[in-house]
Amino acid sequence: MAAFNRSELADLNVFMTIIRRRSFRHAAHELGVTTSALSHTMRNLETRLGVKLLYRTSRAVEPTDAGTLLAEKLRQGFAMIQDGLDTLDLHRESPIGRLRLNVPRDAAALLLAPILGEFTNAYPQLRLDVIVEDAMIDIVAEGYDAGIRYGATVPQDMVAVPLTGTLRWIMVASPGYLARCGIPQAPQDLLQHSCIRMYLGDKTPYKWELGNGPRQQRIDVPGHFSAADTETIVNAALQGVGVAYCLSNRVQQELADGRLVEVMPDWACLGQPLCMYYSSRRQSQPGLRQLMDMIRLKTIGSSLMEQYIEPAPAGWPGRSEI
């Protein structure tokens, strides 16, 4: 092999990005270059190394046997380089670099939206990339530095840091719907109502969890409308479609102004907090500590930072891929 030169590290990073994304188009978008530029880089790298590294078809990109071996070794090397760079963050007054997060919609609205302006103004040298999606993914394989999820959905090999206190899941409906269809008083009454059903991150329907401890019930509620995100569910409830199930924090304003009414408050369900999580193999990520501190400071004194309780039984909302 020819002597290592300073451009080769960048070319190898391009190769690893393509391997991770399995797509020239997605890799180009992540790196901020054109697909033709990536193709040119890979051709030059393969010529320089004298080995074909990728199989490229119209539908996918796959590594050759040589490419697979190289990628395995490079993952270890790039991880060591990243750890070395991360340690420098401990000696800076302000974080520098790029922080990539994957978060669910509820976390984006409740935790990130209130502090985005303050955070970006405080750390102008940090680039914050946030992808909002509810499906559970492998954040390491997808190239994220950290993610936010409900407590028990965090993989066991990850570090999880609570950002909130216990979360309260409630049922709400519009005054018009309740005047038309009556007010449910007990869990079994929901079987006679139109409920706005919820899909989980894996597209399966979610059974509502009502109450806590030994009295907790899980009900597969009936209804003619289903959605996978809280905003759509709340909008449907506002329009009188039926009874909705959601985090109390997401409907504070609607409850305060009377557009929604909480029903069966004695059957509200308490679940574990939203947590920031990241790989236990990473020592630090630029700006992550500052972001967590700012989120937690904002939640102190709000309903998102309630007193902690013992973990709820298996089956509470935090254990599902919402």
Side-chain angles (χ1 to χ4, degrees), residues 11-24 26-27 30-31 38 42 45-46 53-55 61-72 74-75 141-142:
D11 294 347
L12 292 173
N13 182 58
V14 167
F15 166 67
M16 290 300 292
T17 304
I18 296 170
I19 289 290
R20 175 162 46 79
R21 301 306 298 261
R22 289 294 196 270
S23 164
F24 270 70
H26 292 158
E30 179 177 325
L31 295 171
L38 288 196
M42 285 308 305
L45 181 62
E46 289 176 328
L53 300 175
L54 297 172
Y55 292 122
V61 177
E62 296 291 338
T64 63
D65 290 343
T68 299
L69 290 173
L70 177 61
E72 290 176 355
L74 288 177
R75 284 190 186 96
E142 294 294 327

Side-chain angles (χ1 to χ4, degrees), residues 55-93:
Y55 292 122
R56 184 180 182 183
T57 69
S58 58
R59 295 186 176 182
V61 177
E62 296 291 338
T64 63
D65 290 343
T68 299
L69 290 173
L70 177 61
E72 290 176 355
K73 296 295 184 180
L74 288 177
R75 284 190 186 96
Q76 301 173 29
F78 275 103
M80 293 180 66
I81 292 171
Q82 187 62 60
D83 284 343
L85 294 174
D86 288 343
T87 60
L88 297 179
D89 201 38
L90 301 174
H91 301 278
R92 296 191 186 106
E93 293 183 1

Side-chain angles (χ1 to χ4, degrees), residues 98-112:
R98 180 184 182 191
L99 179 62
R100 293 159 293 183
L101 301 179
N102 184 279
V103 305
R105 289 180 175 87
D106 283 350
L110 294 173
L111 302 182
L112 293 182

